[in-house]
Amino acid sequence: MSENILELRGITKYFPGIKALDGIDLNIREGEVHALIGENGAGKSTLVKILTGVYTPTAGKLIYDGQDVSFRNALEAQEMGITAIHQEASMFPELSVAENIFMGHHIKEKGALNWKAMRHQTLELMKKMEIDINPDTPVKSLGVAQRHMVEIAKALSIDAKVVIMDEPTSALTLREVEELYTIVRQLKKENKAIIFISHKFEEIQEICDSFTVLRDGKYIGEGKVADTSIDEIVTMMVGRSLDQMFPKKEAHIGETVLKVDNLTRYGSFRDISFELKKGEILGFFGLVGAGRTEVMRTIFGIDKKDEGTVLLKGKELKIHSPAQAMRKGLAYVPEDRQTQGVILEQSLTRNITLPIIDKISKLGKVSRKKEKQATGTYGRMMEIKAAGWHVNADTLSGGNQQKVVLAKWLATEPEILILDEPTKGIDVATKAAVHEFVSEMAGKGLAVIMVSSELPEILGMSDRIIIMHEGEKTGELSRAEATSDKVIKAATGHREEVRS
Amino acid sequence: SGQQSEPKGDQPLKIVLLVKSLGNGFFEAVADGGKEAAAELGNVESIYQGPSTATAEGQIDIIESLIAQKVDGIAISANDRDALIPVTKKAMAAGIKVISFDSGIAPAGRIVDLIPSDAELIGRQQVQLIAELTGYKGQIGILSATSQATNQNLWIEWMFEEIKDPKYKDMEIVEVVYGDDAADKSYREAVGLMQKYPGLAGIISPTTVGVLAASKAIEDEGMKGKVQITGLGLPSEMQHYVENGTCGQMALWNPVDLGYTSTMILEALITGKVDGNVGDKISVGRMGTVTVGKDGVSIMGTPFVFNKDNIATYAAMF
Amino acid sequence: MEIDKTLASSDRLVDENKRLISKIGSLLARWEGILVLIIIGMVIVFSNITPYFLDYFNLMNATFTFMEKAVLALPIIFIILSGDIDISGAAIIALSSFSMGFASSHGAGTAQVVITGLAVGALAGAFNAVFIINFGIPAIAVTLATQSFFRGISQAILEDQAYTHYPESFSYFGQGYIPGTIIPFELIFFLVLAGIFAYVLHFTSYGRKLYAIGNSATAARFSGVPVNRIRFTNFVLHGLFAGIVAVLLTSRIGSTRPNIANGWELEAITLVVLGGVSITGGKGSIVGVILSIFLIGYLKFGMGLINLSAKVMIITTGFLLITAVLIPVIIDAVGRRNKLKMQRRRG
Amino acid sequence: MNALKEMLKKREATLILLIVVLAVAVSTRAPGFLKGDNISRIVNDTSILIMVGIGQFFVILTGGIDLSVGSVIAFSGMAAAMMNQSSPGTPVILILLAGMAIGLLLGLFNGVIVAYGKVPPIIATLGTMSIFRGFTFVLSKGQWVTAHEMSESYMSIPHGHFLGLSNLIWSAVLVSVLLFFFSRYTRSGREIYAIGGNKTAAKFVGVSEKKVNLIIFSMSGLLSGLAGVMWTARYAAAVNETATGFELMTVAACVLGGVNIAGGAGAVPGVILGALFLGIINNALPVVNFSPFYQMFIQGFIVLAAMFINTIMDKRSEKKMLKRRA
Ligand SMILES: Nc1ncnc2c1ncn2[C@@H]1O[C@H](COP(=O)(O)OP(=O)(O)OP(=O)(O)O)[C@@H](O)[C@H]1O
Ligand SMILES: Nc1ncnc2c1ncn2[C@@H]1O[C@H](COP(=O)(O)OP(=O)(O)OP(=O)(O)O)[C@@H](O)[C@H]1O
Ligand SMILES: [Mg+2]
Ligand SMILES: [Mg+2]
């Protein structure tokens, strides 16, 4: 058994009004992948930020390589050999890939930055990771998955002893996830310590050796992944066991409410056709970048379509803005909660009531009573964990922010609900709650489109599945015919093997 | 709002010199004249005020506060001859005596307008000065202050009048440009004049900022001796160029006298020695008497001409 | 046992004190609190120095010197709150005043003159909006250019001339009083407008949307807020209000020249940010801006009363602007530290 | 391929094209406008704008703005001129350095307020814009310093020639080259881009926002201080209104030069071109035969048109980029 490279003793962190971490102990060993597990808001990301010098702990000790250390900023942690892929997007969109990777530890020669060397090393890294990105491309012109790979490359560009990955897979395609696993195994071989945060148990089982569970900022326990069942971990996480992950209710499928014909947006997707029925959950699967989001954005009036028609209950839907879409009974839960979903600097109340602000106003005046009602009803439905309805959304953990987004769209009481990666970054318990809720709503006649990159979720929840690949529809399967093999084949572009 | 100023016993009279803007040597010298008059009169407190940038609105705001503190008299060098009228009327209704000096207010807005010199005299003299320098021939450009400056515009009209005289038959005014009383823009405009008219013989700049910037521009462009410059300038600011010959001669009235005379006139009006009617003669200390002319306009005298020989003496004063 | 109790109660006392302090602290940390304090201080100082300050007539009359800038500040609140900026306000005033002079010199009556001014103002605002919203050029860039453009139009046509003839009754807007009182019409007019703005901002859905846009335009758009329409409206509103200001100002000074209201855009923006509206959008209240309007207005007036030089005035307002932002930051920092300390003690 | 470079090239190419079109248009109305000595005159006249514009550029790059540059120019210019006046014997290089040091201090003051006081840059510099201007009045007691009170050597600071170019042009060239290098090849330079691009991400890699704010404001102050000395020496007059409104000119130069006003994007060459564009307008307006009353209108119109064309071209190249990717 190898040495503890990193030990935490009694780490405590206060935010005004919140005790985010309460006496956390952690043992990280070299050559091991250690999973950090916990519900949304358990304190995982906060812990990461303490380890990387972004936050200073209120109390507690950090022992690194047998010595007490404290970091005043991220640079000091980096110089000690700790690097991280943060949960929040941390790219510089206007700057090149090479520069994004080397920001903070540029390569210098004779006092000046050596761009040639940095470009060269970037190419090497890219080769090692088997991805094809030009080091000079500005990051803003990369897709989400590519960006994420750049983030990973950035962490690897530092010769670190401890590599922290905070939900690194949430925006990656299957191939890239495999790639990441290879990288992690390689790092392990190089005797590095890896801290891996994820809400997906398959990943933890696949790649992690040991784990620590946090709950409400407290240390709950640790163990070996091989010796522990998922049920045991879940029980440690939530304090109880969960019955069912994908509580799909019997569907009562009604008439067609939405019919999309040959919808095309140049450069994004082509000839997309499908029907959505009342009471149905229509799953959209594809690899990240398949163009599902863009189809949904177009239907919701955010982007302009170039060709094709959308029929709502038989009548052509002509909309140019989300406001119009909402009036027609559509709702869209966007995939990027940080910039599209929540307004970070506003209270939960204001967030939840924003889409319905006109509905709860009379002659322009907002009714405080209705506002309270709406917040209470839908906020409670989602079991949001927060100090109150008045706190700003930026004080919530990622998962809880996602719940706020869901609550705010449910408040519009839509006929058609489009969910884009609704459980991205959400913990198991909440995920189950969301699933149960969606399925219940569908049971009451709501038509649901669910875009997801999580295969179990798609298979478990959908009545029908549409699969996309590089902007085209490559398959449509009923619940009965769908298997993970078939779906993945279509998602990777093997159209001929799936009849549609 | 018929507020009348009550008699105030032996409180000194508050007489305000309100200038176009602060930070201008000309007006600082005006302020000195005001102090001189106050010292001479004994019962007068001379107050020097002006906005930080030369706007009518800034002057109006100051006048409102002068009304509120019930000063006794205000002499104004106006940034706008019309815009000040409503507020100065209000001041006069409140019992404050208002006159204008240097840059006038239209008759409805003041009792007396003390002009340093007749616009006609100034305009004609400027043309004469440049003619003497250029030998009565060549193209002449005019570099003015802002295009809104009323006193400058009036003088320029007279310049065009004067040049019609046959003795100037070989001279023409080719263009009027505006430097907005900013050093860099005036400089650029002066350079522009020289570029546009390669045969330019002289520049008249009837504004202190302009004449200074134009002199510098002539020097920098190596046109000293080829392009003559005259205008209205402060001796202390222009000494360098007058002494080195860039500017052969220029004119100005004495700003100290202007401040002095304004204060004297106001004191006479406040104490009721005169009413400021047409024909009234006001005795103004060392400056003798000033006669109130048509429309309340009073003239102080002909602008004084400065040249190499006398500038050092005056530079020490203003 | 006894000792323990007293300890406990004295502890509570300390806590009570702390709470009181922190309450005052949190009031101070609120922008409006700071402004109120400064205003009180100002009144005390001035009323001790000069007998003319606390004089009902003077206090009323002084409002003439800042009500127009105050009116211009109102739409700027909306603009800044939604994350935009507009520095062409003063130029629109010039253009609008010019068009009124033009109309008047062609025989228009008071009503027509006013309508002309408002219409031209609103059009100029729409012109800005088209470039900013439809063509996507940054607001500061557009309004920087239109600043010269709008004023330039009136200068090109009016040259060195002035319009000095306005209908008799036109002078009421900027010079008149509420009949039978010495309350200026401009003051009441502003207060009514401010009331409407406060209502819209703090009680209506339009206000909510403004804040939402200022905090995150993307999230607002995804939530069905017609972001661009609202921003467009704001710029037109700004133009319209610049037109209103042009009416008031032209009426007050009875004449129009192209350099009218020079530099007012920055003064109005200063009022808004001093009033606590975050320059990056999404934060601020009308109350703060109203306080800052009266603070700056009376401060300048008071300094004028004691004949302080204009240079002292600009230094003072500069410092005021910075300290008003600094104080809450400092109090907030101290407050946070105390709070954390207390939290730690409680465990 | 090299998308960023391509786009940059495009943006600057647009601007160069606009400059050429403008210059040719002017020379049809004012022959001789494109002659060598006039071109050098324009560059000379634009040098100050280039230097201060580059200072402004770094501030805007972080998403801030420095509205106090005009006042810093006035104050440091006045202080330098008064130093020269009171002791004409002092070597001018010392005065030049003193002027720069004063500018640096004023800039540092801005930087401290922003970095430690957490005051947004626009508010901090709106405040110091008044304060520094007011102090200029206080310092000068309302008086000017003019030619006869300045030593010959002082007035020759900007005019001295070297290899056929004036010192003023040389200093602009030096500032441009140095700061281009700084922006591209130093760690601090890149950190400025990082802060402007994504503050959170910058924090994650250990970039100190405080340090960056201190650097950019000091630099802007230093350059304004240098410009102040040059200004008063060039026009042989230190007045209180020096450079009033100049801050907006520098912002306009940046915006025209393709600097993203929200921060994170832009480059030194663009700023230089933007400044030159404005410099040409400023120098052309006095020589073309338009009524002087049209100047303001024409200036506004041309700047608006240039921004419009710039934006349209940018959008088109961006669209092309998206199409290519698809
Ligand atoms: N800057 C902050 N200010 C105040 N509270 C914060 C701040 N950052 C985090 N918190 C709080 O600290 C707690 C821990 O948050 P953290 O982001 O570490 O959770 P997490 O375990 O990463 O959750 P998730 O799985 O959703 O990412 C939460 O209650 C959160 O609301
Ligand atoms: N923030 C962004 N800025 C610029 N381009 C983006 C951005 N996000 C996504 N794209 C581009 O849009 C395309 C698709 O986006 P993304 O990778 O999110 O997949 P998607 O369309 O959401 O598909 P799916 O939902 O199937 O994952 C990609 O080509 C990507 O480059
Ligand atoms: Mg997290
Ligand atoms: Mg997607």
Side-chain angles (χ1 to χ4, degrees), chain D residues 65-292:
Chain D
I65 195 165
D66 187 350
L67 293 177
S68 74
V69 290
S71 300
V72 175
I73 290 174
F75 185 86
S76 49
M78 179 62 79
M82 288 175 73
M83 264 182 262
N84 176 248
Q85 181 189 19
S86 63
S87 58
T90 318
V92 286
I93 183 72
L94 286 185
I95 293 183
L96 188 68
L97 289 176
M100 289 164 73
I102 290 169
L104 177 79
L105 278 178
L106 298 183
L108 192 63
F109 182 74
N110 283 331
V112 168
I113 300 176
V114 172
Y116 293 94
K118 300 201 179 77
V119 180
I122 191 167
I123 298 179
T125 58
L126 194 61
T128 54
M129 175 167 97
S130 301
I131 295 172
F132 298 160
R133 180 73 63 184
F135 280 151
T136 310
F137 279 98
V138 172
L139 180 73
S140 71
K141 300 200 178 64
Q143 301 291 336
W144 300 359
V145 182
T146 52
H148 82 280
E149 290 148 328
M150 293 179 183
S151 68
E152 279 302 327
S153 54
Y154 183 79
M155 286 186 287
S156 69
I157 296 176
H159 288 283
H161 274 245
F162 177 66
L163 291 181
L165 295 180
S166 72
N167 288 348
L168 193 53
I169 296 185
W170 275 117
S171 54
V173 169
L174 201 70
V175 164
S176 304
V177 170
L178 274 180
L179 292 185
F180 175 74
F181 181 87
F182 170 78
S183 73
R184 191 94 193 93
Y185 292 100
T186 69
R187 185 177 175 138
S188 297
R190 299 319 291 175
E191 288 184 346
I192 299 173
Y193 279 88
I195 289 285
N198 183 344
K199 282 195 173 60
T200 321
K203 200 173 175 192
F204 285 164
V205 293
V207 175
S208 157
E209 198 180 342
K210 279 199 181 84
K211 186 184 103 184
V212 166
N213 274 321
L214 291 179
I215 290 179
I216 53 165
F217 281 105
S218 305
M219 201 153 69
S220 175
L222 179 81
L223 292 170
S224 303
L226 170 65
V229 180
M230 294 286 188
W231 190 300
T232 53
R234 167 142 202 259
Y235 300 114
V239 306
N240 298 285
E241 289 88 359
T242 299
T244 311
F246 197 65
E247 58 282 345
L248 291 187
M249 286 280 283
T250 59
V251 174
C254 291
V255 172
L256 277 172
V259 180
N260 182 354
I261 200 81
V268 170
V271 180
I272 298 171
L273 290 174
L276 280 174
F277 185 82
L278 291 175
I280 290 176
I281 298 179
N282 280 339
N283 280 276
L285 286 176
V287 294
V288 293
N289 271 313
F290 282 122
S291 150

Side-chain angles (χ1 to χ4, degrees), chain B residues 99-137:
Chain B
I99 68 170
S100 57
F101 71 96
D102 175 52
S103 176
I105 301 176
R110 42 74 183 168
I111 305 167
V112 170
D113 178 25
L114 174 67
I115 53 176
S117 176
D118 188 12
E120 181 176 349
L121 279 180
I122 298 171
R124 290 187 189 278
Q125 186 192 37
Q126 291 284 307
V127 175
Q128 282 155 19
L129 289 176
I130 200 72
E132 287 166 19
L133 291 171
T134 63
Y136 287 86
K137 55 176 182 284

Side-chain angles (χ1 to χ4, degrees), chain C residues 120-262:
Chain C
V120 169
L123 274 178
F127 184 86
N128 279 336
V130 167
F131 279 91
I132 295 165
I133 289 144
N134 300 38
F135 297 132
I137 309 176
I140 181 122
V142 170
T143 55
L144 190 65
T146 54
Q147 205 181 40
S148 305
F149 185 72
F150 292 148
R151 201 182 280 282
I153 293 175
S154 53
Q155 188 168 63
I157 302 173
L158 199 50
E159 302 198 337
D160 60 342
Q161 298 302 301
Y163 287 121
T164 55
H165 295 289
Y166 285 95
E168 191 79 8
S169 58
F170 182 69
S171 67
Y172 178 76
F173 302 108
Q175 298 179 35
Y177 297 86
I178 301 298
T181 68
I182 54 163
I183 303 170
F185 165 78
E186 284 194 339
L187 175 61
I188 297 301
F189 182 65
F190 165 73
L191 290 176
V192 169
L193 286 180
I196 296 172
F197 268 70
Y199 178 78
V200 170
L201 191 57
H202 299 301
F203 295 97
T204 69
S205 58
Y206 192 83
R208 287 298 174 80
K209 291 173 190 168
L210 279 178
Y211 281 103
I213 294 172
N215 278 320
S216 169
T218 314
R221 193 163 77 98
F222 274 73
S223 306
V225 175
V227 174
N228 283 342
R229 204 163 68 213
I230 288 180
R231 290 175 62 212
F232 202 103
T233 313
N234 284 344
F235 283 105
V236 175
L237 197 71
H238 174 258
L240 175 71
F241 269 63
I244 293 175
V245 174
V247 170
L248 297 174
L249 177 60
T250 311
S251 156
R252 182 160 66 95
I253 67 180
S255 63
T256 297
R257 256 177 233 285
N259 60 0
I260 191 171
N262 220 345

